[in-house]
Amino acid sequence: MTYIAGSYTTKFGELWERDLRSLGIEAIEGALKDANIELKDIDALYVANMAASRLSGQDHIGSLIASELGIDVPAYHIESACASGGVAVRLGHLDILSGESKNILVLGVEKMTDISNSGVTAALSGASDEEWEAFYGATFPSLYAMIAREHMRKFGTTREQLALCSVKNHAFGSKNPHAQFPFEITTEQVLDASPVADPLGLLDCSPISDGASAIVLSKEKKSDVKIISSAQAQDTISLHKRNDITELTATVKAANKAFHSAGLNRNNIDIVELHDCFSIAEILAYEDLGFAKKGEGGKLIESGKTGPGGSLPVNTSGGLKACGHPVGATGVKQIAELASQLSGSAGARQISKNLKYGLAHNVGGSGGTAVVHILAKVG
Amino acid sequence: MVLLPSQERRKKLLFNLLKAQSFKPKTNMHKSSPSKIWRKFDTRYSIISNQKAKLISWSKVESGPDGFDLYTPYTVGILEFEDGTRFTAQVTDSDYDTLKYGDVFVPFFKKYYEDGSDGVIHYGLKWRKI
C-alpha cells in the first residue's frame, strides 16, 4: 500500500526571483516536513520536468536535485510532457509496491518564464508530433481549439459553456494562496479576452508558470490518505491520427482501468482534480472520465455540480487555469491538493462535506498520455 | 562590509536589464539540417497532384512559436483525404471567416519558415480552398 505521507506546493506564478533548483528544494523540504520524514530515510527520488533543457538549458535533472539535497539515492527524471507529474507519481507508487523502496520523494518542477512567449510556445510544441504537427505551426492552443470547434459542431457545445469552466476554476482558485491567479473572473471577461487560437481566448488557456510541488510516498501508514489505484494509457501523439478528435481515448482507458482496479463507480468519487489545460479540456475530461455522457460535458459545467458548493467539486486548487500550470509540477500538485482535501487540511478552500475518494487526472500533449489516480481516506 | 542591493533596487536593476536586452532565447538553435530535409523528401515534399482534402477542423494561431513570427496570425487545420487519412497543415489564401466543415482544399508548395537567419528554409504544402 502507498500512503501520501506529506506534500508541499510552492507559490505558482511568474517568479522572477526563483530558479529551477530553488523551487524544487523548497517543495521537497516542505513535503519532508509535512511528512515528518528525514531526508536520510528517502530511498529514491523521482523528478518530473518537461522542458528544462529548452527552457533553462538544463538536463540531468535527477542528478541536479539529488546533488542539491546532498543525497545518494537513485534519482530519476520523468518526462511525459504535461503528464510528467502524474507519471512520476505512478512510478514512485509502483516502486513502493515492488518492495524496492519504503519512502519515495516525488518532485514536479518547471521554470518557464525565463524565455520569450514564442520560445515557450516552441518548447511546449515538443509535446506534439514534431514532424507532422509542430512543423506546420500547430501550437497547443490551436490543437485544443480544433478539438473545441469539432466538439461544438458535433454536440452543440457553446462558447459560454467553455467560459464557465474558467470562471469556475477561478472561483476555486481565488481561495488558494498558492494560485497564480487567486481572483474571480466573469463569463464576459472570458468571452471578451484577446484571442489566442480561435475559438479559444486568453482566459480559456492555462498560463505559463513557474512552480514546484512535492509529495512523500510511504509504504508505512504515515497518514490517512493512500493511493488505491493508478492507471496510465497512451494514444497517438498526433491529434489528426485519431478517428474521433472529440474524445481523449487515453483518458477513457486510464479511467476505466483505475475504476476497475479500485472496485469503485463514478458516483463514489467525492472530489476531482482534472487536467484543464484549456477550457475545452475540462469538458472533454468530464465526458472521458465518465462523469458525463459524451457530448454532455457542457451541461455538467452549467449545472454547477462541479463548482463551489456542488456535489462533485472539480479543481479546488483552481486547476491549471487559475492555480497555474508549471508543466512538470501539475500532476504532482493534483495529488498534493487531493491529499490536503481528503485529510481536511486544505485551509480556506477545504470542502466541508465528508470526503472519502478523490480522483486525479493528468494529460500529456493532446492526449498521447493520460494518467488517473484514485486516492482514498482511510480510518 | 558588503552592501547588498535592497529588494527595491534589485527590482529596478532587473527591470532595466529586461528593457535593455531583447527578450529572446539565448541560443539560436536550428531545428533542422539539410540531411533531415533530404531524409523526409518522399513524405513531406512530394506533391500529391490532384489530391483534394476536406477540412475537418481549424484554428487561427495568434501566438506562434519561434520562427513563425513573420506569418502570425496564420490558420492551421486538420484535413482529410478521400481515403480517410487525416493530417495537419496550414490553410492559406482562404477567407478565414467563411471556412466551414467539409470545405475542399488543394495543395500548393510554399515556404513555411526560416530556421533562423542562416538556417535551412523550410518548405511544405499549404492548402487553399477551391
Side-chain angles (χ1 to χ4, degrees):
Chain A
M1 207 52 79
T2 305
Y3 291 88
I4 316 285
S7 65
Y8 182 94
T9 300
T10 69
K11 172 78 181 165
F12 282 5
E14 292 183 315
L15 311 175
W16 304 113
E17 70 284 7
R18 303 296 300 278
D19 62 8
L20 189 71
R21 68 182 88 195
S22 81
L23 286 166
I25 299 307
E26 179 191 336
I28 285 176
E29 286 177 347
L32 287 170
K33 196 175 163 204
D34 186 45
N36 200 20
I37 286 178
E38 287 185 47
L39 199 51
K40 65 175 174 54
D41 296 322
I42 295 296
D43 300 312
L45 169 67
Y46 288 76
V47 186
N49 174 274
M50 177 189 164
S53 61
R54 293 177 76 163
L55 299 169
S56 315
Q58 178 72 59
D59 281 301
H60 210 180
I61 308 288
S63 170
L64 174 81
I65 301 297
S67 67
E68 280 298 303
L69 293 170
I71 55 172
D72 172 21
V73 297
Y76 311 103
H77 171 205
I78 312 299
E79 192 279 306
S80 292
C82 313
S84 302
V87 174
V89 171
R90 175 172 159 76
L91 292 174
H93 168 61
L94 295 178
D95 192 332
I96 285 182
L97 292 187
S98 77
E100 175 79 8
S101 303
K102 283 186 182 148
N103 297 302
I104 299 266
L105 256 176
V106 182
L107 167 70
V109 60
E110 207 80 48
K111 173 70 196 176
M112 303 178 75
T113 62
D114 274 349
I115 67 170
S116 65
N117 245 4
S118 59
V120 175
T121 305
L124 294 176
S125 292
S128 68
D129 187 328
E130 192 274 327
E131 279 194 52
W132 296 105
E133 292 180 321
F135 174 86
Y136 296 102
T139 58
F140 267 94
S142 70
L143 291 171
Y144 275 91
M146 289 195 280
I147 294 175
R149 185 180 303 283
E150 184 65 349
H151 204 277
M152 290 160 131
R153 185 186 74 84
K154 263 175 98 169
F155 304 116
T157 302
T158 64
R159 190 64 195 77
E160 286 72 18
Q161 288 170 335
L162 297 183
L164 284 174
C165 296
S166 299
V167 172
K168 186 265 296 172
N169 288 331
H170 271 259
F172 276 129
S174 68
K175 296 196 171 60
N176 182 357
H178 295 287
Q180 182 162 358
F181 304 126
F183 51 80
E184 297 193 28
I185 57 171
T186 64
T187 309
E188 291 68 35
Q189 283 176 305
V190 182
L191 297 178
D192 291 343
S194 54
V196 171
D198 174 62
L200 302 180
L202 188 63
L203 296 182
D204 289 283
C205 306
S206 56
I208 292 167
S209 321
D210 305 327
S213 185
I215 58 172
V216 180
L217 300 176
S218 288
K219 195 184 185 86
E220 287 168 28
K221 188 176 182 302
K222 299 215 162 145
S223 76
D224 51 8
V225 178
K226 64 178 180 179
I227 297 177
I228 57 167
S229 74
S230 165
Q232 180 174 337
Q234 311 295 140
D235 199 351
T236 60
I237 187 166
S238 43
L239 181 64
H240 60 244
K241 275 200 174 174
R242 303 181 200 148
N243 293 330
D244 181 1
I245 64 167
T246 60
E247 174 188 287
L248 300 193
T249 309
T251 295
V252 176
K253 288 180 183 167
N256 286 343
K257 271 193 231 173
F259 276 103
H260 181 75
S261 83
L264 295 175
N265 297 316
R266 266 66 178 177
N267 52 21
N268 291 128
I269 300 294
D270 301 306
I271 183 167
V272 176
E273 281 285 307
L274 59 72
H275 199 88
D276 61 309
C277 49
F278 299 95
S279 52
I280 180 64
E282 176 144 349
I283 305 263
L284 290 183
Y286 288 163
E287 299 167 359
D288 299 340
L289 290 169
F291 296 115
K293 281 189 196 148
K294 190 39 78 184
E296 294 184 4
K299 285 184 190 149
L300 180 54
I301 184 70
E302 272 178 347
S303 74
K305 188 180 166 188
T306 57
S311 58
L312 182 68
V314 170
N315 289 346
T316 53
S317 68
L320 283 59
K321 172 68 199 79
C323 189
H325 184 27
V327 176
T330 286
V332 183
K333 177 218 76 182
Q334 294 177 326
I335 302 289
E337 173 68 13
L338 289 181
S340 306
Q341 289 284 355
L342 291 172
S343 63
S345 58
R349 64 186 187 285
Q350 180 67 46
I351 299 298
S352 54
K353 68 171 179 145
N354 190 28
L355 303 172
K356 178 138 177 70
Y357 296 110
L359 180 144
H361 163 250
N362 194 197
V363 173
S366 60
T369 299
V371 195
V372 172
H373 283 98
I374 299 177
L375 274 54
K377 184 181 181 176
V378 288
Chain B
M1 190 175 125
V2 183
L3 278 176
L4 290 171
S6 68
Q7 183 81 356
E8 212 45 44
R9 172 85 180 128
R10 272 164 56 204
K11 271 188 186 157
K12 211 169 174 182
L13 283 170
L14 178 69
F15 183 72
N16 287 336
L17 188 72
L18 292 179
K19 261 201 320 192
Q21 294 188 346
S22 66
F23 203 29
K24 281 276 175 190
K26 56 188 171 187
T27 54
N28 185 13
M29 274 188 295
H30 296 311
K31 289 180 185 170
S32 230
S33 64
S35 59
K36 183 175 175 186
I37 291 182
W38 171 77
R39 211 162 58 230
K40 301 296 166 196
F41 216 86
D42 285 346
T43 44
R44 180 176 284 163
Y45 297 98
S46 59
I47 293 191
I48 309 146
S49 58
N50 300 324
Q51 268 277 31
K52 288 177 185 156
K54 184 175 91 169
L55 187 63
I56 301 298
S57 196
W58 64 97
S59 176
K60 190 192 280 184
V61 178
E62 308 271 356
S63 176
D66 282 343
F68 285 83
D69 324 29
L70 280 176
Y71 310 94
T72 307
Y74 54 88
T75 306
V76 294
I78 290 179
L79 296 108
E80 185 181 283
F81 287 132
E82 266 179 17
D83 70 356
T85 306
R86 289 181 176 184
F87 58 95
T88 301
Q90 284 190 22
V91 304
T92 183
D93 302 325
S94 312
D95 181 6
Y96 183 83
D97 293 329
T98 67
L99 294 179
K100 58 182 191 299
Y101 180 89
D103 279 350
V104 178
F105 285 74
V106 288
F108 287 86
F109 196 68
K110 288 211 173 204
K111 179 171 162 180
Y112 261 88
Y113 64 93
E114 289 174 18
D115 212 352
S117 54
D118 55 352
V120 173
I121 297 173
H122 292 263
Y123 294 90
L125 298 182
K126 289 188 183 176
W127 295 73
R128 183 189 294 167
K129 189 168 153 181
I130 52 167

